[in-house]
Amino acid sequence: MRILTITFFCCFIYATSYSQVNFSGYTDFYIAHDNDNSRKIDGQPYRLFSFMDGKKNEFSLNIVNLAMDAKFDKVYGRISLHYGDLPAQAWTGPYPAIQEAYAGVILSESFSIDAGYFLTHIGNEALLPKNNLLTSHSMVTFMEPFYHAGVRANWQVSEKFKATFLLINSMWIYVNTNENFGLGMSLFYGDDGLNVSYSGAIANESNPGISTDIYNNVNFSYKGGKTQLKAQFDLYSQIGESIKDRHTYGVSLTSHMGFNFIENLSGTARFSYVDNINGTVFTLPATTMLEVSAGFEYKPSTNSYIRIEQRVIEILDDNYLVFRNDEGRYVSMRGETLLNFGFWFDTSDLLK
């Protein structure tokens, strides 16, 4: 056993020192509180409309994530595994422990193709809190797909313009729900400081009476010396096959503004609006919803954080109330307080 351990450690150092294999890890631990008793009354395992900080009044683990990225000559790949409350809520179907698993080949300096399981190309917020300004996902991100399985063609058209084209099993899950495949596309222009992008997908999820699901997402991001701005607009539609005039829409809008007060302390505010009165987005009530969030982040180091966040969700139609107060009556609003601790490592940084 000792020989195997020493051998693995030597291979680990050799591979990472030549930048051929990179290991990374991340964990986020939290405690959350809100004024909604629907989870307890209705027997729900997690809070509604939140894949982050899903449990109430108990210390819990959002995610622990371990990943390996490898590149050998013109072949590359990634394996990323995860465990915790986030994947327990957002991942359905087979292989829930796999976040990403894909392999690819570099055909030229500007073009590559890979295939496997990968995170979605849609949206302006990342899956993991460490890559976002706030810990919670906005209501807009909550209604977006999180992952796909299929084939991607990546084309670096120029220094600032990148295009990705996808053939996927499904818009919403890894497995194919019928004999039809979905198509996806992402167009990105800009750099880390300022960029705009469009991403979308079209698929047939085989719901009764639905022939086509279409998702459109437009993003804008700006990052200056002390300020960050992010905005996105989503349009999701379904086209009916049995009823010719069935064409419903889900519209959403969200914006972020972050500001660095001092070197290790920053604050962020976010506003989100979702119009789902036609019930097009199946994860939400058939109504309109508002969300306002604000939070502060303190970074003890470059690879860790402590965050506190306040979030309020309001349902604007009294006919679709889902939150409950202390007496068990349905109410339109939920307030949340979130406290998160995060840490990550990356061997490419450790060996610099």
Side-chain angles (χ1 to χ4, degrees), residues 71-76 104-108:
K71 181 178 180 295
F72 299 97
D73 194 16
K74 294 186 176 182
V75 179
Y76 64 93
V105 59
I106 300 172
L107 301 177
S108 69

Side-chain angles (χ1 to χ4, degrees), residues 283-295:
T283 56
L284 298 177
T287 184
T288 54
M289 305 179 73
L290 288 174
E291 178 218 15
V292 178
S293 301

Side-chain angles (χ1 to χ4, degrees), residues 23 117 130 303 344:
F23 294 89
Y117 289 4
K130 72 183 182 69
N303 60 336
W344 63 94

Side-chain angles (χ1 to χ4, degrees), residues 254-269:
T254 186
S255 62
H256 295 70
M257 183 175 69
F259 185 79
N260 284 38
F261 300 103
I262 56 177
E263 183 177 0
N264 297 325
L265 181 64
S266 61
T268 300

Side-chain angles (χ1 to χ4, degrees), residues 88-99:
Q89 297 174 84
W91 260 250
T92 60
Y95 319 122
I98 297 178
Q99 184 184 103

Side-chain angles (χ1 to χ4, degrees), residues 91-262:
W91 260 250
T92 60
Y95 319 122
I98 297 178
Q99 184 184 103
E100 292 187 287
Y102 60 83
V105 59
I106 300 172
L107 301 177
S108 69
E109 291 184 358
S110 60
F111 193 81
S112 66
I113 295 178
D114 52 53
Y117 289 4
F118 40 80
L119 296 179
T120 187
H121 58 294
I122 294 174
N124 206 355
E125 287 182 317
L127 171 72
L128 300 179
K130 72 183 182 69
N131 299 321
N132 292 325
L133 299 176
L134 292 171
T135 295
S136 66
H137 295 128
S138 72
M139 288 299 299
V140 181
T141 299
F142 179 83
M143 62 182 267
E144 293 172 344
F146 271 43
Y147 45 84
H148 308 288
V151 180
R152 296 184 297 189
N154 310 291
W155 182 21
Q156 190 71 47
V157 183
S158 66
E159 183 179 353
K160 290 190 174 183
F161 181 40
K162 179 181 180 180
T164 302
F165 304 96
L166 305 95
L167 179 66
I168 54 179
N169 280 338
S170 167
M171 187 183 297
W172 301 105
I173 57 178
Y174 282 140
V175 299
N176 198 336
T177 58
N178 51 34
E179 296 180 352
N180 302 312
F181 292 102
L183 298 174
M185 180 175 66
S186 175
L187 304 174
F188 176 94
Y189 182 82
D191 51 35
D192 292 338
L194 176 65
N195 62 75
V196 294
S197 66
Y198 163 81
S199 57
I202 181 170
N204 179 352
E205 301 302 294
S206 191
N207 291 330
I210 302 298
S211 63
T212 309
D213 295 85
I214 305 173
Y215 209 111
N216 298 281
N217 167 247
V218 179
N219 301 303
F220 166 83
S221 295
Y222 166 79
K223 185 176 182 180
K226 290 190 173 183
T227 305
Q228 294 187 62
L229 300 173
K230 300 179 75 174
Q232 73 181 79
F233 172 79
D234 286 23
L235 175 63
Y236 175 50
S237 61
Q238 293 180 332
I239 301 175
E241 56 185 6
S242 58
I243 304 175
K244 298 302 181 183
D245 60 352
R246 179 175 181 178
H247 193 164
T248 61
Y249 296 92
V251 180
S252 58
L253 174 70
T254 186
S255 62
H256 295 70
M257 183 175 69
F259 185 79
N260 284 38
F261 300 103
I262 56 177

